[in-house]
Amino acid sequence: MQKFVEFDLRRQRKGTTVEVTLSAQAYVRLMDSQNYALYKTGKKYEFYGGLVKVTPHRLAIPYDGIWHIAVDTGKEVFPYPIEAKIRMVQE
């Protein structure tokens, strides 16, 4: 199973901005609770985001709900260490 860093954003409103800062390039996936559960079990899921090479990187919450961010290297074997931080941005 792929290792990842997870952030539970709890309930967020549409349009809220999340800023992600990474120590190296990584995949950043913003998912609602249903898709996050599928992601964790290796099933097909949908997400917002993708490979982030430059940080900080901002993502907008697309609709009201409970949200998670998963950060991983995209490598299942011997993933390189990644540090990730998030903050909610007031705009």
Coordinates of all heavy atoms in Angstrom, one line a residue:
M1 N 0.8 -1.2 0.0 CA 0.0 0.0 0.0 C 0.9 1.2 0.0 O 1.9 1.3 0.7 CB -0.9 0.0 1.2 CG -1.9 1.0 1.3 SD -3.2 0.6 0.1 CE -4.3 1.9 0.3
Q2 N 0.5 2.2 -0.8 CA 1.2 3.4 -0.9 C 1.2 4.2 0.4 O 0.1 4.3 1.0 CB 0.7 4.2 -2.0 CG 1.4 5.5 -2.3 CD 1.1 6.0 -3.7 OE1 1.4 5.3 -4.7 NE2 0.4 7.1 -3.8
K3 N 2.3 4.8 0.8 CA 2.3 5.7 2.0 C 2.0 7.1 1.6 O 2.4 7.6 0.5 CB 3.7 5.6 2.7 CG 4.0 4.2 3.2 CD 5.3 4.2 3.9 CE 5.5 2.8 4.4 NZ 6.8 2.6 5.1
F4 N 1.3 7.8 2.5 CA 0.9 9.2 2.2 C 0.8 9.9 3.5 O 0.7 9.4 4.6 CB -0.4 9.2 1.4 CG -1.5 8.6 2.1 CD1 -2.4 9.3 2.9 CD2 -1.8 7.2 1.9 CE1 -3.5 8.7 3.5 CE2 -2.9 6.6 2.6 CZ -3.7 7.4 3.3
V5 N 0.8 11.3 3.4 CA 0.5 12.2 4.5 C -0.9 12.6 4.3 O -1.3 13.1 3.2 CB 1.5 13.4 4.5 CG1 1.1 14.3 5.6 CG2 2.9 12.9 4.6
E6 N -1.7 12.6 5.4 CA -3.1 12.9 5.3 C -3.5 14.1 6.2 O -3.0 14.2 7.3 CB -4.0 11.7 5.6 CG -5.5 12.0 5.5 CD -6.2 12.4 6.7 OE1 -5.7 12.2 7.8 OE2 -7.4 12.9 6.6
F7 N -4.3 15.0 5.7 CA -4.8 16.1 6.4 C -6.3 16.1 6.4 O -6.9 16.1 5.3 CB -4.3 17.5 5.9 CG -2.8 17.6 5.9 CD1 -2.0 17.3 4.8 CD2 -2.2 18.1 7.1 CE1 -0.7 17.5 4.9 CE2 -0.8 18.3 7.1 CZ -0.1 18.0 6.0
D8 N -6.9 16.0 7.6 CA -8.4 16.0 7.7 C -8.8 17.5 7.8 O -8.5 18.1 8.8 CB -8.8 15.2 8.9 CG -10.3 15.2 9.1 OD1 -11.1 15.9 8.4 OD2 -10.8 14.4 10.0
L9 N -9.4 18.0 6.8 CA -9.8 19.4 6.7 C -11.2 19.6 7.4 O -11.6 20.8 7.5 CB -9.9 19.9 5.3 CG -8.6 19.8 4.5 CD1 -8.8 20.3 3.1 CD2 -7.4 20.4 5.2
R10 N -11.8 18.6 7.8 CA -13.2 18.6 8.4 C -14.1 19.3 7.4 O -14.0 19.3 6.2 CB -13.1 19.3 9.7 CG -12.1 18.6 10.7 CD -12.0 19.2 12.0 NE -10.9 18.6 12.7 CZ -11.0 18.2 13.9 NH1 -12.1 18.3 14.6 NH2 -10.0 17.7 14.5
R11 N -15.2 19.8 7.9 CA -16.2 20.5 7.1 C -15.7 21.8 6.6 O -15.3 22.6 7.4 CB -17.5 20.6 7.9 CG -18.6 21.2 7.0 CD -20.0 21.0 7.6 NE -20.4 19.7 7.9 CZ -20.8 18.8 7.0 NH1 -21.0 19.2 5.7 NH2 -21.2 17.6 7.3
Q12 N -15.8 22.0 5.3 CA -15.4 23.2 4.7 C -16.4 23.7 3.7 O -17.2 22.9 3.2 CB -14.0 23.1 3.9 CG -12.9 22.7 4.8 CD -12.5 23.8 5.8 OE1 -12.6 25.0 5.5 NE2 -12.0 23.4 6.9
R13 N -16.4 25.0 3.5 CA -17.4 25.6 2.6 C -16.8 25.8 1.2 O -15.6 26.0 1.1 CB -17.9 27.0 3.2 CG -18.6 26.8 4.5 CD -19.2 28.0 4.9 NE -20.5 28.0 4.2 CZ -21.4 28.9 4.4 NH1 -21.3 29.8 5.3 NH2 -22.6 28.8 3.7
K14 N -17.7 25.8 0.2 CA -17.2 26.0 -1.2 C -16.5 27.4 -1.2 O -16.9 28.4 -0.6 CB -18.5 26.1 -2.1 CG -18.1 26.4 -3.5 CD -19.4 26.5 -4.3 CE -19.0 26.9 -5.8 NZ -20.2 27.0 -6.6
G15 N -15.3 27.3 -1.9 CA -14.6 28.5 -2.1 C -13.5 28.7 -1.1 O -12.6 29.6 -1.3
T16 N -13.5 28.0 0.0 CA -12.4 28.1 1.0 C -11.1 27.7 0.3 O -11.1 26.7 -0.5 CB -12.7 27.2 2.2 OG1 -13.9 27.5 2.8 CG2 -11.5 27.2 3.2
T17 N -10.0 28.4 0.6 CA -8.7 28.1 0.0 C -7.8 27.4 1.0 O -7.7 27.8 2.1 CB -8.1 29.4 -0.5 OG1 -8.9 30.0 -1.5 CG2 -6.7 29.1 -1.2
V18 N -7.1 26.4 0.5 CA -6.2 25.6 1.3 C -4.8 25.8 0.6 O -4.7 25.6 -0.6 CB -6.5 24.1 1.3 CG1 -5.5 23.4 2.2 CG2 -7.9 23.9 1.7
E19 N -3.8 26.2 1.4 CA -2.5 26.4 0.9 C -1.6 25.2 1.4 O -1.6 24.9 2.6 CB -1.9 27.7 1.4 CG -0.5 28.0 0.8 CD 0.0 29.4 1.2 OE1 0.6 29.4 2.3 OE2 -0.3 30.4 0.5
V20 N -0.9 24.6 0.5 CA -0.1 23.4 0.8 C 1.4 23.8 0.5 O 1.7 24.3 -0.6 CB -0.5 22.2 -0.1 CG1 0.4 21.0 0.3 CG2 -2.0 21.9 0.1
T21 N 2.2 23.5 1.5 CA 3.7 23.7 1.3 C 4.4 22.4 1.4 O 4.1 21.6 2.4 CB 4.2 24.7 2.4 OG1 3.5 25.9 2.3 CG2 5.7 25.0 2.2
L22 N 5.2 22.1 0.5 CA 5.9 20.8 0.4 C 7.4 21.0 0.5 O 8.0 22.0 0.0 CB 5.6 20.1 -0.9 CG 4.1 19.9 -1.2 CD1 3.9 19.4 -2.6 CD2 3.5 18.9 -0.2
S23 N 8.1 19.9 1.0 CA 9.6 19.9 1.0 C 10.2 19.5 -0.3 O 11.4 19.7 -0.6 CB 10.1 19.1 2.2 OG 9.7 17.7 2.0
A24 N 9.4 18.8 -1.1 CA 9.8 18.3 -2.5 C 8.6 18.1 -3.3 O 7.4 18.2 -2.8 CB 10.6 17.0 -2.3
Q25 N 8.7 18.0 -4.6 CA 7.6 17.8 -5.4 C 6.8 16.5 -5.0 O 7.4 15.5 -4.5 CB 7.9 17.7 -6.9 CG 8.5 16.4 -7.4 CD 8.8 16.4 -8.9 OE1 8.8 17.4 -9.5 NE2 8.9 15.2 -9.4
A26 N 5.5 16.6 -5.1 CA 4.6 15.5 -4.7 C 3.3 15.6 -5.3 O 2.9 16.7 -5.8 CB 4.5 15.4 -3.1
Y27 N 2.5 14.5 -5.2 CA 1.1 14.6 -5.6 C 0.3 15.1 -4.5 O 0.3 14.5 -3.4 CB 0.7 13.2 -6.1 CG 1.3 12.8 -7.4 CD1 2.5 12.1 -7.4 CD2 0.7 13.1 -8.6 CE1 3.1 11.7 -8.6 CE2 1.3 12.8 -9.8 CZ 2.5 12.1 -9.8 OH 3.1 11.7 -11.0
V28 N -0.6 16.1 -4.7 CA -1.5 16.6 -3.7 C -2.9 16.3 -4.2 O -3.3 16.7 -5.3 CB -1.3 18.1 -3.5 CG1 -2.3 18.7 -2.6 CG2 0.2 18.4 -3.0
R29 N -3.6 15.6 -3.4 CA -5.0 15.2 -3.8 C -6.0 15.7 -2.8 O -6.0 15.3 -1.7 CB -5.1 13.7 -4.0 CG -4.2 13.1 -5.1 CD -4.2 11.6 -5.0 NE -3.6 11.0 -6.2 CZ -2.3 10.7 -6.2 NH1 -1.5 10.9 -5.2 NH2 -1.7 10.1 -7.3
L30 N -6.9 16.5 -3.3 CA -8.0 17.0 -2.5 C -9.2 16.2 -2.8 O -9.7 16.1 -3.9 CB -8.3 18.5 -2.8 CG -9.5 19.1 -2.2 CD1 -9.3 19.2 -0.7 CD2 -9.8 20.5 -2.8
M31 N -9.8 15.5 -1.7 CA -10.9 14.6 -1.9 C -11.9 14.7 -0.8 O -11.6 15.1 0.3 CB -10.4 13.1 -1.8 CG -9.3 12.8 -2.9 SD -8.5 11.2 -2.5 CE -7.2 11.8 -1.4
D32 N -13.2 14.5 -1.2 CA -14.3 14.5 -0.2 C -14.1 13.1 0.5 O -13.3 12.3 0.2 CB -15.6 14.7 -0.9 CG -16.0 13.6 -1.9 OD1 -15.4 12.5 -1.9 OD2 -16.8 13.9 -2.8
S33 N -14.9 13.0 1.6 CA -14.8 11.8 2.4 C -15.0 10.5 1.7 O -14.3 9.5 1.9 CB -15.8 11.9 3.6 OG -15.4 12.9 4.5
Q34 N -16.0 10.5 0.8 CA -16.3 9.2 0.0 C -15.1 8.8 -0.9 O -14.7 7.7 -0.9 CB -17.5 9.4 -0.9 CG -17.9 8.2 -1.7 CD -19.1 8.4 -2.5 OE1 -19.7 9.5 -2.5 NE2 -19.5 7.4 -3.3
N35 N -14.5 9.8 -1.6 CA -13.4 9.5 -2.4 C -12.1 9.2 -1.6 O -11.3 8.4 -2.0 CB -13.1 10.6 -3.4 CG -14.1 10.6 -4.6 OD1 -14.1 9.7 -5.4 ND2 -15.1 11.5 -4.6
Y36 N -12.0 9.8 -0.5 CA -10.8 9.5 0.4 C -10.9 8.1 0.9 O -9.8 7.4 0.9 CB -10.8 10.5 1.5 CG -9.6 10.2 2.5 CD1 -8.3 10.4 2.0 CD2 -9.8 9.8 3.8 CE1 -7.2 10.1 2.9 CE2 -8.8 9.6 4.6 CZ -7.5 9.7 4.2 OH -6.4 9.4 5.1
A37 N -12.1 7.6 1.2 CA -12.2 6.2 1.7 C -11.8 5.3 0.5 O -11.1 4.2 0.7 CB -13.6 5.9 2.1
L38 N -12.2 5.6 -0.7 CA -11.8 4.8 -1.9 C -10.3 4.8 -2.1 O -9.7 3.8 -2.4 CB -12.6 5.2 -3.1 CG -14.1 5.1 -3.1 CD1 -14.7 5.8 -4.3 CD2 -14.5 3.6 -3.1
Y39 N -9.7 6.0 -2.0 CA -8.3 6.2 -2.2 C -7.5 5.3 -1.2 O -6.5 4.6 -1.5 CB -7.9 7.6 -1.9 CG -6.5 8.0 -1.8 CD1 -5.6 8.1 -2.9 CD2 -5.9 8.2 -0.6 CE1 -4.3 8.4 -2.8 CE2 -4.5 8.5 -0.4 CZ -3.7 8.6 -1.6 OH -2.4 8.9 -1.4
K40 N -7.9 5.3 0.1 CA -7.2 4.5 1.1 C -7.3 3.0 0.9 O -6.4 2.3 1.3 CB -7.8 4.8 2.5 CG -7.5 6.1 3.0 CD -7.8 6.3 4.5 CE -9.2 5.9 4.9 NZ -9.5 6.1 6.3
T41 N -8.3 2.5 0.2 CA -8.5 1.1 -0.1 C -7.9 0.7 -1.5 O -8.0 -0.5 -1.8 CB -9.9 0.6 0.1 OG1 -10.7 1.4 -0.9 CG2 -10.4 0.9 1.5
G42 N -7.4 1.7 -2.2 CA -6.8 1.4 -3.5 C -7.8 1.2 -4.6 O -7.5 0.8 -5.7
K43 N -9.1 1.7 -4.4 CA -10.1 1.6 -5.4 C -10.1 2.9 -6.2 O -9.4 3.9 -5.9 CB -11.5 1.4 -4.8 CG -11.6 0.0 -4.1 CD -12.9 -0.2 -3.4 CE -12.9 -1.5 -2.7 NZ -14.1 -1.7 -1.9
K44 N -10.9 2.9 -7.3 CA -10.9 4.0 -8.2 C -11.6 5.2 -7.4 O -12.6 5.0 -6.8 CB -11.7 3.7 -9.4 CG -11.7 4.8 -10.5 CD -12.3 4.4 -11.8 CE -12.3 5.5 -12.8 NZ -12.8 5.2 -14.0
Y45 N -11.0 6.4 -7.6 CA -11.5 7.6 -6.8 C -11.3 8.8 -7.7 O -10.6 8.8 -8.7 CB -10.7 7.7 -5.5 CG -9.2 7.9 -5.7 CD1 -8.7 9.2 -5.7 CD2 -8.4 6.9 -5.9 CE1 -7.4 9.4 -6.0 CE2 -7.0 7.1 -6.1 CZ -6.5 8.3 -6.1 OH -5.2 8.5 -6.4
E46 N -11.9 9.9 -7.3 CA -11.8 11.2 -8.0 C -11.2 12.2 -7.0 O -11.4 12.1 -5.8 CB -13.1 11.7 -8.5 CG -13.7 10.8 -9.6 CD -15.1 11.3 -10.1 OE1 -15.5 12.4 -9.7 OE2 -15.7 10.6 -10.9
F47 N -10.4 13.1 -7.6 CA -9.8 14.1 -6.7 C -9.5 15.4 -7.5 O -9.7 15.4 -8.7 CB -8.4 13.6 -6.2 CG -7.4 13.4 -7.3 CD1 -6.5 14.3 -7.6 CD2 -7.4 12.2 -8.0 CE1 -5.5 14.2 -8.6 CE2 -6.4 12.0 -9.1 CZ -5.5 13.0 -9.3
Y48 N -9.2 16.4 -6.8 CA -8.8 17.7 -7.3 C -7.3 17.9 -7.0 O -6.9 17.5 -5.9 CB -9.6 18.9 -6.7 CG -11.0 18.7 -7.0 CD1 -11.9 18.0 -6.2 CD2 -11.6 19.3 -8.1 CE1 -13.2 17.9 -6.4 CE2 -13.0 19.2 -8.4 CZ -13.8 18.5 -7.5 OH -15.1 18.3 -7.8
G49 N -6.5 18.4 -7.9 CA -5.1 18.6 -7.7 C -4.2 17.8 -8.7 O -4.6 17.6 -9.8
G50 N -3.1 17.3 -8.2 CA -2.2 16.5 -9.0 C -0.8 16.7 -8.6 O -0.5 17.1 -7.4
L51 N 0.2 16.6 -9.5 CA 1.6 16.8 -9.2 C 1.9 18.2 -9.0 O 1.6 19.1 -9.8 CB 2.5 16.2 -10.4 CG 4.0 16.3 -10.2 CD1 4.4 15.6 -8.9 CD2 4.7 15.9 -11.4
V52 N 2.5 18.5 -7.8 CA 2.8 19.9 -7.4 C 4.3 20.0 -7.4 O 5.0 19.3 -6.7 CB 2.2 20.3 -6.1 CG1 2.7 21.6 -5.6 CG2 0.7 20.2 -6.1
K53 N 4.9 20.9 -8.2 CA 6.3 21.0 -8.3 C 6.8 22.3 -7.6 O 7.9 22.5 -7.3 CB 6.8 21.0 -9.8 CG 6.5 19.7 -10.5 CD 7.0 19.8 -11.9 CE 6.8 18.4 -12.6 NZ 7.3 18.4 -14.0
V54 N 5.9 23.3 -7.5 CA 6.2 24.6 -6.9 C 5.3 24.9 -5.7 O 4.1 24.7 -5.9 CB 6.1 25.7 -8.0 CG1 6.4 27.1 -7.3 CG2 7.0 25.5 -9.1
T55 N 5.8 25.2 -4.6 CA 5.0 25.5 -3.5 C 5.3 26.9 -2.9 O 6.4 27.4 -3.2 CB 5.2 24.5 -2.3 OG1 6.5 24.6 -1.8 CG2 4.9 23.1 -2.8
P56 N 4.4 27.5 -2.2 CA 3.1 27.0 -1.8 C 2.2 26.9 -3.0 O 2.3 27.6 -4.0 CB 2.6 28.0 -0.8 CG 3.3 29.3 -1.1 CD 4.6 28.9 -1.7
H57 N 1.3 25.9 -2.9 CA 0.3 25.6 -3.9 C -1.1 25.8 -3.3 O -1.3 25.3 -2.1 CB 0.4 24.2 -4.4 CG -0.5 23.8 -5.5 ND1 -0.4 24.3 -6.8 CD2 -1.6 23.0 -5.4 CE1 -1.4 23.8 -7.5 NE2 -2.2 23.0 -6.7
R58 N -2.0 26.4 -4.0 CA -3.4 26.7 -3.4 C -4.4 25.9 -4.2 O -4.4 25.8 -5.4 CB -3.7 28.2 -3.5 CG -2.9 29.0 -2.5 CD -3.3 30.4 -2.5 NE -2.6 31.1 -1.4 CZ -2.8 32.3 -1.0 NH1 -3.8 33.0 -1.6 NH2 -2.1 32.9 -0.1
L59 N -5.4 25.4 -3.4 CA -6.5 24.6 -3.9 C -7.8 25.3 -3.3 O -7.8 25.6 -2.1 CB -6.5 23.2 -3.5 CG -5.3 22.3 -4.1 CD1 -5.1 21.1 -3.3 CD2 -5.6 22.0 -5.5
A60 N -8.8 25.4 -4.1 CA -10.1 25.9 -3.6 C -11.1 24.7 -3.4 O -11.1 23.8 -4.2 CB -10.7 26.9 -4.6
I61 N -11.8 24.7 -2.3 CA -12.8 23.7 -2.0 C -13.9 23.9 -3.0 O -14.5 25.0 -3.1 CB -13.3 23.8 -0.6 CG1 -12.2 23.7 0.4 CG2 -14.4 22.8 -0.3 CD1 -11.5 22.4 0.5
P62 N -14.2 22.8 -3.8 CA -15.2 23.0 -4.9 C -16.7 23.0 -4.4 O -17.5 23.5 -5.1 CB -15.0 21.8 -5.8 CG -14.3 20.8 -4.9 CD -13.5 21.6 -3.9
Y63 N -17.0 22.4 -3.3 CA -18.4 22.4 -2.8 C -18.4 22.1 -1.3 O -17.4 21.6 -0.8 CB -19.3 21.5 -3.5 CG -18.8 20.0 -3.6 CD1 -19.1 19.1 -2.6 CD2 -18.0 19.6 -4.7 CE1 -18.7 17.8 -2.6 CE2 -17.6 18.3 -4.7 CZ -17.9 17.4 -3.7 OH -17.5 16.1 -3.8
D64 N -19.4 22.5 -0.6 CA -19.5 22.3 0.8 C -19.4 20.8 1.2 O -20.0 20.0 0.4 CB -20.9 22.8 1.4 CG -21.0 24.3 1.3 OD1 -20.1 25.0 0.9 OD2 -22.1 24.8 1.7
G65 N -18.7 20.5 2.2 CA -18.6 19.1 2.6 C -17.4 18.8 3.5 O -16.7 19.8 4.0
I66 N -17.1 17.6 3.8 CA -16.0 17.1 4.6 C -14.9 16.8 3.6 O -15.1 16.0 2.7 CB -16.4 16.0 5.5 CG1 -17.5 16.4 6.5 CG2 -15.1 15.5 6.3 CD1 -18.0 15.4 7.4
W67 N -13.7 17.3 3.8 CA -12.6 17.2 2.9 C -11.3 16.7 3.5 O -11.1 16.9 4.7 CB -12.3 18.6 2.2 CG -13.4 19.0 1.4 CD1 -14.5 19.7 1.7 CD2 -13.6 18.6 0.0 NE1 -15.4 19.8 0.6 CE2 -14.8 19.1 -0.4 CE3 -12.8 17.9 -0.9 CZ2 -15.3 19.0 -1.7 CZ3 -13.3 17.7 -2.2 CH2 -14.5 18.3 -2.6
H68 N -10.5 16.0 2.7 CA -9.2 15.5 3.1 C -8.2 15.9 2.0 O -8.5 16.0 0.8 CB -9.2 14.0 3.2 CG -10.2 13.5 4.2 ND1 -9.8 13.2 5.5 CD2 -11.5 13.3 4.1 CE1 -10.9 12.8 6.2 NE2 -11.9 12.8 5.3
I69 N -6.9 16.1 2.4 CA -5.8 16.2 1.5 C -4.9 15.0 1.7 O -4.5 14.8 2.9 CB -5.1 17.5 1.6 CG1 -6.0 18.7 1.1 CG2 -3.7 17.5 0.9 CD1 -5.3 20.0 1.1
A70 N -4.5 14.3 0.7 CA -3.5 13.3 0.7 C -2.3 13.8 -0.1 O -2.5 14.3 -1.2 CB -4.0 12.0 0.2
V71 N -1.1 13.6 0.5 CA 0.1 14.0 -0.2 C 1.0 12.7 -0.3 O 1.2 12.1 0.7 CB 0.9 15.1 0.6 CG1 2.2 15.4 -0.1 CG2 0.0 16.3 0.8
D72 N 1.4 12.4 -1.5 CA 2.3 11.2 -1.7 C 3.3 11.5 -2.8 O 3.1 12.4 -3.5 CB 1.5 10.0 -1.9 CG 0.7 10.0 -3.2 OD1 1.3 9.9 -4.3 OD2 -0.5 10.0 -3.1
T73 N 4.2 10.6 -2.9 CA 5.3 10.8 -3.9 C 5.0 10.1 -5.2 O 5.7 10.2 -6.2 CB 6.6 10.2 -3.4 OG1 6.5 8.8 -3.2 CG2 7.0 10.9 -2.1
G74 N 3.9 9.3 -5.3 CA 3.6 8.6 -6.5 C 4.4 7.3 -6.6 O 4.3 6.6 -7.6
K75 N 5.2 7.0 -5.6 CA 6.0 5.8 -5.7 C 5.5 4.8 -4.6 O 5.4 5.2 -3.4 CB 7.5 6.1 -5.4 CG 8.0 7.0 -6.5 CD 9.5 7.3 -6.2 CE 10.1 8.3 -7.2 NZ 10.1 7.9 -8.6
E76 N 5.3 3.6 -5.0 CA 4.8 2.6 -4.0 C 6.0 1.9 -3.2 O 5.9 1.5 -2.1 CB 4.0 1.5 -4.7 CG 2.7 2.1 -5.2 CD 1.8 1.0 -5.8 OE1 2.0 -0.2 -5.4 OE2 0.9 1.4 -6.6
V77 N 7.1 1.8 -3.9 CA 8.3 1.2 -3.3 C 9.4 2.3 -3.0 O 9.7 3.1 -3.8 CB 8.9 0.1 -4.2 CG1 10.1 -0.6 -3.5 CG2 7.8 -0.9 -4.5
F78 N 9.9 2.3 -1.8 CA 10.9 3.2 -1.4 C 10.6 4.7 -1.7 O 11.3 5.4 -2.3 CB 12.3 2.9 -2.0 CG 12.7 1.5 -1.7 CD1 12.8 0.6 -2.8 CD2 13.1 1.1 -0.5 CE1 13.2 -0.8 -2.5 CE2 13.5 -0.2 -0.2 CZ 13.5 -1.2 -1.3
P79 N 9.4 5.1 -1.2 CA 9.1 6.5 -1.4 C 10.1 7.4 -0.7 O 10.6 7.1 0.4 CB 7.7 6.7 -0.8 CG 7.6 5.6 0.2 CD 8.5 4.5 -0.3
Y80 N 10.5 8.5 -1.3 CA 11.3 9.5 -0.6 C 10.6 10.2 0.4 O 9.4 10.4 0.3 CB 12.0 10.4 -1.6 CG 11.1 11.2 -2.5 CD1 10.5 12.4 -2.1 CD2 10.9 10.7 -3.8 CE1 9.7 13.1 -3.0 CE2 10.0 11.4 -4.7 CZ 9.4 12.6 -4.3 OH 8.6 13.3 -5.1
P81 N 11.2 10.7 1.5 CA 10.5 11.4 2.6 C 10.0 12.7 2.1 O 10.6 13.4 1.3 CB 11.6 11.6 3.6 CG 12.9 11.4 2.9 CD 12.7 10.6 1.8
I82 N 8.8 13.0 2.5 CA 8.1 14.3 2.2 C 7.6 14.9 3.4 O 7.0 14.3 4.3 CB 7.0 14.0 1.1 CG1 6.5 15.3 0.5 CG2 5.9 13.2 1.6 CD1 7.3 15.9 -0.5
E83 N 7.8 16.2 3.5 CA 7.2 17.0 4.6 C 6.1 17.9 3.9 O 6.4 18.5 2.9 CB 8.2 17.8 5.3 CG 9.2 17.0 6.2 CD 10.2 17.8 6.9 OE1 9.9 19.0 7.2 OE2 11.3 17.3 7.2
A84 N 5.0 18.0 4.6 CA 3.9 18.8 4.0 C 3.2 19.5 5.2 O 3.1 19.0 6.3 CB 2.9 17.9 3.3
K85 N 2.8 20.8 4.9 CA 2.1 21.6 5.8 C 0.9 22.2 5.0 O 1.0 22.5 3.8 CB 3.0 22.7 6.4 CG 4.2 22.2 7.2 CD 5.0 23.4 7.6 CE 6.2 22.9 8.3 NZ 7.1 24.0 8.7
I86 N -0.1 22.4 5.8 CA -1.3 23.1 5.1 C -1.7 24.3 6.0 O -1.4 24.3 7.2 CB -2.5 22.2 4.9 CG1 -3.1 21.7 6.2 CG2 -2.1 21.1 4.0 CD1 -4.5 21.2 6.1
R87 N -2.4 25.2 5.4 CA -3.0 26.3 6.2 C -4.2 26.8 5.4 O -4.2 26.7 4.1 CB -2.1 27.4 6.5 CG -1.7 28.4 5.4 CD -0.8 29.5 5.9 NE -0.5 30.4 4.8 CZ -1.1 31.6 4.6 NH1 -2.0 32.0 5.5 NH2 -0.8 32.4 3.6
M88 N -5.2 27.1 6.1 CA -6.4 27.7 5.5 C -6.2 29.2 5.3 O -5.7 29.9 6.2 CB -7.7 27.5 6.4 CG -7.9 26.0 6.8 SD -7.8 24.8 5.5 CE -9.3 25.0 4.7
V89 N -6.5 29.6 4.1 CA -6.2 31.0 3.7 C -7.5 31.8 3.7 O -8.5 31.4 3.0 CB -5.5 31.1 2.3 CG1 -5.3 32.5 1.9 CG2 -4.3 30.2 2.3
Q90 N -7.5 32.9 4.3 CA -8.7 33.8 4.3 C -8.4 34.8 3.2 O -7.5 35.6 3.2 CB -8.8 34.6 5.6 CG -9.0 33.6 6.8 CD -10.3 32.9 6.8 OE1 -11.3 33.4 6.3 NE2 -10.3 31.7 7.2
E91 N -9.3 34.8 2.2 CA -9.2 35.8 1.1 C -10.3 36.7 1.0 O -11.4 36.5 1.5 CB -9.0 35.0 -0.2 CG -7.8 34.2 -0.2 CD -7.4 33.6 -1.6 OE1 -8.0 32.5 -1.9 OE2 -6.7 34.2 -2.3

